[in-house]
Amino acid sequence: MEHHIRPKPGAAVLTSGQYWLITIFLGLCGLMVVSSVYTMIPINLHLVQTFAVPESMAALTSGVFAWFYGLGFLVFGPLSDRISPKKIIITGLAALAVATVLVSWAQSIEQLIVSRAVQGFIAASFAPVALAYIFEVMLEQRRATSIAFLSTGYMLAGIIGQLISSLVTQIWDWSAVYVLFAGLYGFIFLLAIKILPLTQVQPSSASMVDIWKNTFCLFKEGMLLRCYWITFTLLLSFVALYAALSGYLSNTYGLSTEQIFSIRAAGIVGMLVSPFAGRLIGRFGLKRVLLTGLILATGGLFLVWAMSTVLFLTMASIIYVAGLSITFPALMNTVGQLGRKKKGGAITLYTFVLFMGASAGAVIAPWASFKVITLVLAMLLAASVVVSLGIRVAG
């Protein structure tokens, strides 16, 4: 039996146990859903061999997912104002399980590209809706911690998704990766039915076209535009750094695949600060935490650029990831607060811009040497530090 939460503007009554269960569950869902963005990266060469296609064609399986993922945000975000977020989440998870099975059945590179596009579009039903759900059911003083757990899941996906994909492919083959993830999505679909309370929404009478117009008009609001610039640079730098890292470590230091992955995995240490971001925001305020996170991330990237040994480069990457782990929840809360009555549209644009940055990061990574790329990324984040100084937000 589903229990209904009667939402107030901005809060819902949950027991402490319910709050932590929902918070942890949404973080795990974010980890598993967003892992699909990264699962193709370690198996591109397997696709080249399996389908006898150029590597650039195999890479499209990641690119097309990201493009349709971003497009899906513009559809599912506004839907959360019309349909209960829980219903969108559980329907999306069920559909994602089916779409992921279809990926595993692909018999040609063309079928794989199409199925990955479908998978990406459906996967977009989680991220913006989960954020809207948190703002709808969580008390204001608890949102920051819930968002911190959700953003931790998103960041961990960049490493965990590749790890699972790589291990499963080595043991079986690439298609087994998607059989496994289809099973995981089916499992969390069943859990979501039981765990997530159902909220009641007031259906909007506005058409989707009107919603899109109102949403994109938010780019005209100066404070939000500053937030969106920062948003774009975050995953752009994260994806570009780790995409360029493998070749650099292999060519410069002769490291093996296992050694390179251990360096990637070291970033998890930096992510451990993310669950504490809510407490930091409560104590020091959104603006200070956002600025501190950006400065840490920027400093970490400059150190990555400057370091000439593997040990110090690894330590610098941990500092960089720790900075991002603080920045993400602070920025999400800032966007939600600045969005006011258009919070749903503001969050939709946030997720859209965030993963468009991830797509751009994958594209620019091969453009230049590792040192040039990291310097450019560090300068982009430094610009975000400057931009953040002009954001005015309560708390």
Side-chain angles (χ1 to χ4, degrees):
M1 173 90 64
E2 289 176 334
H3 55 292
H4 287 65
I5 288 178
R6 189 170 32 132
K8 112 183 205 229
V13 178
L14 295 173
T15 67
S16 180
Q18 284 179 310
Y19 159 72
W20 280 109
L21 180 61
I22 294 168
T23 294
I24 293 170
F25 177 70
L26 288 177
L28 289 173
C29 285
L31 167 61
M32 285 187 265
V33 172
V34 178
S35 285
S36 284
V37 177
Y38 305 98
T39 49
M40 279 293 179
I41 293 174
I43 59 180
N44 270 358
L45 292 180
H46 292 273
L47 301 181
V48 170
Q49 296 168 1
T50 301
F51 298 115
V53 295
E55 190 172 349
S56 58
M57 178 70 78
L60 276 178
T61 58
S62 294
V64 75
F65 182 101
W67 300 329
F68 278 83
Y69 193 48
L71 180 63
F73 291 149
L74 301 179
V75 175
F76 293 108
L79 280 180
S80 64
D81 291 332
R82 297 163 168 258
I83 304 170
S84 167
K86 173 179 177 174
K87 292 180 179 178
I88 297 175
I89 289 172
I90 60 174
T91 302
L93 289 172
L96 183 57
V98 174
T100 306
V101 170
L102 295 178
V103 173
S104 72
W105 287 352
Q107 297 298 309
S108 68
I109 194 67
E110 291 80 12
Q111 290 178 11
L112 186 56
I113 290 172
V114 171
S115 61
R116 280 285 284 173
V118 173
Q119 187 195 31
F121 183 81
I122 295 172
S125 62
F126 180 78
V129 181
L131 278 172
Y133 185 78
I134 287 173
F135 274 97
E136 189 172 344
V137 305
M138 298 295 182
L139 291 167
E140 185 173 355
Q141 61 267 32
R142 287 182 160 177
R143 287 178 195 154
T145 299
S146 296
I147 290 173
F149 271 81
L150 190 62
S151 60
T152 301
Y154 293 162
M155 290 193 67
L156 279 172
I159 294 174
I160 300 299
Q162 293 185 61
L163 174 61
I164 293 174
S165 178
S166 180
L167 290 176
V168 172
T169 302
Q170 288 177 29
I171 297 171
W172 290 289
D173 62 21
W174 73 267
S175 62
V177 173
Y178 297 95
V179 174
L180 172 63
F181 271 97
L184 289 173
Y185 296 143
F187 179 63
I188 60 174
F189 155 72
L190 295 175
L191 290 180
I193 294 174
K194 293 293 184 181
I195 291 175
L196 299 181
L198 184 67
T199 58
Q200 297 173 339
V201 296
Q202 298 295 327
S204 172
S205 59
S207 68
M208 289 292 283
V209 173
D210 289 335
I211 291 173
W212 287 329
K213 286 181 180 178
N214 291 332
T215 296
F216 281 104
C217 278
L218 292 173
F219 278 127
K220 297 179 181 179
E221 298 192 13
M223 292 297 104
L224 280 173
L225 186 58
R226 288 174 179 268
C227 289
Y228 294 142
W229 161 262
I230 298 169
T231 300
F232 185 75
T233 63
L234 296 185
L235 276 191
L236 183 152
S237 65
F238 183 78
V239 171
L241 172 65
Y242 282 97
L245 187 62
S246 296
Y248 175 70
L249 293 175
S250 176
N251 296 331
T252 306
Y253 301 101
L255 299 188
S256 66
T257 302
E258 292 76 14
Q259 290 171 318
I260 291 171
F261 195 86
S262 67
I263 293 171
R264 287 174 175 269
I268 293 175
V269 176
M271 296 178 191
L272 296 179
V273 302
S274 186
F276 302 100
R279 292 185 181 182
L280 293 173
I281 291 169
R283 182 171 181 178
F284 299 106
L286 275 176
K287 178 70 175 290
R288 287 181 180 176
V289 174
L290 175 63
L291 184 59
T292 300
L294 283 170
I295 291 172
L296 269 178
T298 303
L301 258 187
F302 273 117
L303 287 173
V304 168
W305 168 71
M307 292 299 102
S308 58
T309 68
V310 173
L311 175 61
F312 287 119
L313 188 152
T314 303
M315 293 172 64
S317 72
I318 292 173
I319 295 172
Y320 161 71
V321 172
L324 285 189
S325 298
I326 297 171
T327 302
F328 273 117
L331 187 58
M332 288 185 197
N333 276 277
T334 301
V335 169
Q337 187 178 123
L338 292 174
R340 300 182 182 89
K341 292 183 179 180
K342 295 181 179 180
K343 188 179 300 174
I347 291 171
T348 295
L349 275 188
Y350 168 85
T351 50
F352 174 74
V353 172
L354 182 67
F355 285 97
M356 287 301 97
S359 300
V363 171
I364 70 169
W367 281 5
S369 68
F370 179 78
K371 289 294 186 181
V372 171
I373 287 293
T374 51
L375 180 59
V376 170
L377 296 175
M379 292 174 68
L380 284 174
L381 280 187
S384 289
V385 172
V386 175
V387 168
S388 72
L389 295 174
I391 295 175
R392 295 186 297 276
V393 64

